[in-house]
Amino acid sequence: ALVQIGSPDRRVKACAGFESGKAIVAAGLGERRRILGEAPAPRREPGEPLSFRVAVERGRVRVFAEDRLLLEQDLPARPGEGMGAQGRRAPPPPPGIALLVPSGTTRFEKVTVRRRGEVVYEDRFEGSGRGLRLKPGLHRLSLLAEGGSAALDEILLACSGASARLSPEERRFARAAYLDLLRRTPTEVELLSLGPDAERLPRRLAGSLEFWQAWYEEELYHFLLLDNFRPATASLAALPVRLASGSTTVFEAVRELVISQNFNARNPGPDTFVTVVLEQLLGTKVQDRKDLLEAGKKMYDGYPARLFGREGRSQADFVGIVMDQAAFAPTYLGRFHRAIFGRDLPVEDPSLARLRGDPAAFPAILAEWVSSPAYREALESPRAKSDPMFVRSLFVDLLGRPPSYREFRNMRNALQALSDPAPVRAVLGRVLVDSGKSPLPRKERVEDPDAWIAEQFLRLFARVPTDAEREAFREGWDDPAGTPAMVLTALVTSKEYQLY
């Protein structure tokens, strides 16, 4: 996939993107194209999609695969470019985009180009001739301008019949896999780019940078609870990247979190610190084991003590001894098993021995769980979305993006301040629908209201509406006050949306 980078008068300056397994930046197109720079693209399984973005800044272009910089290259300047009438340097024109049509003949139902959320171009066309070859499906190419220029940030191509490729069952599996591994629902682009190999999805998600970012946020809240104690050190902030790159393991990361100054500040005093560590990491009821409490308190204060048959004299020693106990792995892994399957981890589960022998296998274990027939069976009984899941899903489903940390924190805290968050969840749904940032069509432009309403059920619930629901929603639609926003509000404020 290639994006042409040019000026507003459609003269092409360069193209950048992926072609034949390489990230390239080139001047010109077709036979006149001159390769300026190239780098190997990341390896992918056959048919596995690769998303990329192109950033342009002051005559330089950078090509990214997900969050990884692959290629950085200067763009060629035309003779005299940038010089004004009096010889003074004129401000460069804002970068623009020219669309490369697919090879062969492909009908596109919709081509949308957005600039910072605003639709600036929308059309339908028949693509033919030479240029970009896209597999059937939904593709998103991003051109992100830096330094405040007016570049477009998204091209969205919806190929004819793309939405019909996924069955409701495949959609439900994908939404659940994203929720259990990334703590959010998939975007429509991600969902429709799955293709026929949805079974590979858990393996692709688990271990990704976003997987570890979601894990990090969950662990911070699990161990620290209050935002006042959110770590600000560069070492802890870099944990997701270190985990994704394989330079540390999940057990080493947990140990780093628990011996951090932030964890200590959250649990003032030896009694609280020792109690929390034993309960969170081993599931121990400290009131039943006063000997462990006393030994841990001595180590906390810097005195030598013996715990589980081992000597130690510091907080780090205490945490290390606790994590070396046989009960740590089942306690830790069991927390994720309950979240994914809704039941306790079996005592003899082979994943335990595997994790003890190789903590780096943690994401692969979760991926195998989500790929298993038992997971499909578990999906037959809907489970409640956690507050973090609900907030992130709401943003993705209504705004097409995950929330920022500030947005997420404020909404999550509002929900967790109440014993029954359901009413506030409904309010948050209405707020986002009415924010004006949800890409809703105008009522008069919806050619087939029944099909559009059914599409929302499929998108948000991964099922088709019942006959009674079709009739009720169509009756509301036909009312003069009925709007697309009304449909979305009814769906995201329903009890069903709080489940997955």
Side-chain angles (χ1 to χ4, degrees):
L2 299 176
V3 171
Q4 294 185 38
I5 307 162
S7 56
D9 61 4
R10 298 180 183 274
R11 292 176 299 169
V12 173
K13 179 184 288 186
C15 60
F18 288 106
E19 182 183 74
S20 304
K22 296 179 180 179
I24 68 165
V25 173
L29 291 171
E31 296 178 357
R32 296 185 177 183
R33 187 180 67 187
R34 178 166 57 93
I35 302 294
L36 301 177
E38 62 181 53
R43 296 187 62 180
R44 285 291 189 275
E45 296 291 333
E48 186 176 357
L50 175 65
S51 62
F52 73 93
R53 63 185 175 95
V54 180
V56 181
E57 182 180 14
R58 300 184 184 278
R60 290 183 68 80
V61 60
R62 293 184 292 166
V63 183
F64 296 81
E66 280 106 23
D67 293 321
R68 176 185 168 197
L69 176 65
L70 293 182
L71 182 62
E72 185 171 9
Q73 191 71 38
D74 287 324
L75 293 176
R78 296 187 183 88
E81 182 178 24
M83 302 302 293
Q86 282 76 38
R88 291 176 298 181
R89 183 163 297 277
I97 284 184
L99 190 64
L100 287 169
V101 300
S103 301
T105 299
T106 306
R107 178 174 180 272
F108 282 87
E109 291 182 335
K110 184 178 182 183
V111 179
T112 304
V113 180
R114 297 187 179 95
R115 179 191 287 116
R116 298 186 181 93
E118 175 192 2
V119 175
V120 295
Y121 172 78
E122 200 162 23
D123 197 8
R124 303 172 184 231
F125 70 90
E126 296 280 343
S128 61
R130 301 166 64 178
L132 173 62
R133 181 183 295 274
L134 293 175
K135 293 182 179 180
L138 202 64
H139 305 259
R140 179 164 66 181
L141 314 180
S142 297
L143 180 61
L144 304 181
E146 300 179 0
S149 65
L152 305 174
D153 63 8
E154 183 178 293
I155 302 176
L156 192 62
L157 306 180
C159 188
S160 177
S163 60
R165 292 166 51 240
L166 288 176
S167 67
E169 291 74 20
E170 290 172 324
R171 281 176 171 264
R172 186 172 182 209
F173 170 74
R175 284 178 67 85
Y178 267 85
L179 281 164
D180 280 324
L181 295 175
L182 302 189
R183 296 298 186 265
R184 66 168 175 87
T185 49
T187 65
E188 196 68 6
V189 173
E190 291 168 331
L191 198 58
L192 295 182
S193 66
L194 288 179
D197 300 320
E199 295 294 339
R200 297 179 181 173
L201 177 64
R203 185 176 61 188
R204 181 156 56 88
L205 297 182
S208 67
L209 178 58
E210 188 176 357
F211 167 85
W212 287 116
Q213 289 169 336
W215 172 90
Y216 180 67
E217 295 297 338
E218 293 278 314
E219 295 300 283
L220 287 184
Y221 201 73
H222 179 76
F223 287 118
L224 306 182
L225 292 180
L226 298 180
D227 293 306
N228 303 13
F229 299 95
R230 183 175 178 81
T233 62
S235 177
L236 284 180
L239 264 183
V241 175
R242 289 157 52 201
L243 285 160
S245 65
S247 61
T248 191
T249 67
V250 66
F251 285 178
E252 292 168 346
V254 169
R255 184 177 186 274
E256 194 170 338
L257 280 172
V258 176
I259 64 173
S260 70
Q261 293 179 349
N262 307 84
F263 184 73
N264 187 33
R266 176 66 183 88
N267 303 284
D271 282 276
T272 306
F273 182 90
V274 172
T275 298
V276 170
V277 168
L278 290 171
E279 289 182 348
Q280 296 283 54
L281 301 185
L282 298 183
T284 303
K285 293 183 179 180
V286 178
Q287 57 267 35
D288 298 334
R289 293 295 307 271
K290 298 295 184 180
D291 57 325
L292 301 182
L293 178 61
E294 292 304 317
K297 287 165 59 177
K298 287 183 179 179
M299 291 187 193
Y300 179 94
D301 290 329
Y303 297 104
R306 193 171 186 83
L307 181 71
F308 297 116
R310 290 175 52 183
E311 296 287 340
R313 58 182 310 148
S314 68
Q315 294 180 40
D317 290 343
F318 170 66
V319 172
I321 293 171
V322 168
M323 291 186 64
D324 285 341
Q325 301 310 301
F328 170 67
T331 300
Y332 189 77
L333 195 60
R335 176 155 62 92
F336 293 87
H337 191 276
R338 283 189 295 275
I340 290 176
F341 291 106
R343 61 177 184 272
D344 290 337
L345 179 70
V347 176
E348 301 299 327
D349 194 291
S351 301
L352 288 171
R354 182 180 173 189
L355 186 65
R356 288 189 180 107
D358 180 17
F362 174 72
I365 291 171
L366 299 194
E368 290 169 11
W369 286 354
V370 175
S371 300
S372 67
Y375 183 74
R376 299 271 187 168
E377 293 176 8
L379 292 183
E380 295 177 4
S381 301
R383 290 169 287 167
K385 293 174 185 172
S386 66
D387 290 333
M389 284 179 176
F390 179 84
V391 171
R392 293 193 176 103
S393 300
L394 199 63
F395 270 80
V396 171
D397 290 337
L398 294 181
L399 305 187
R401 64 169 178 85
S404 66
Y405 174 71
R406 183 182 297 273
E407 291 168 331
F408 166 73
R409 179 198 61 194
N410 292 345
M411 287 194 171
R412 179 203 61 194
N413 290 355
L415 293 174
Q416 299 201 333
L418 301 171
S419 58
D420 180 11
V424 178
R425 287 188 176 192
V427 170
L428 296 181
R430 292 191 188 95
V431 168
L432 287 192
V433 172
D434 295 337
S435 67
K437 297 181 180 180
S438 184
L440 289 168
R442 294 181 180 177
K443 183 176 181 179
E444 61 272 16
R445 291 190 177 182
V446 178
E447 298 176 0
D448 186 345
D450 291 328
W452 188 85
I453 292 169
E455 181 184 346
Q456 307 317 305
F457 270 83
L458 193 62
R459 189 170 67 88
L460 299 175
F461 296 159
R463 68 172 178 86
V464 296
T466 64
D467 291 340
E469 288 169 334
R470 289 179 190 273
E471 292 177 9
F473 274 83
R474 185 55 193 264
E475 182 179 347
W477 181 277
D478 291 337
D479 187 282
T483 63
M486 176 202 71
V487 174
L488 276 188
T489 299
L491 295 178
V492 299
T493 58
S494 67
K495 183 178 179 179
E496 184 173 356
Y497 186 74
Q498 301 193 33
L499 308 173
Y500 76 106

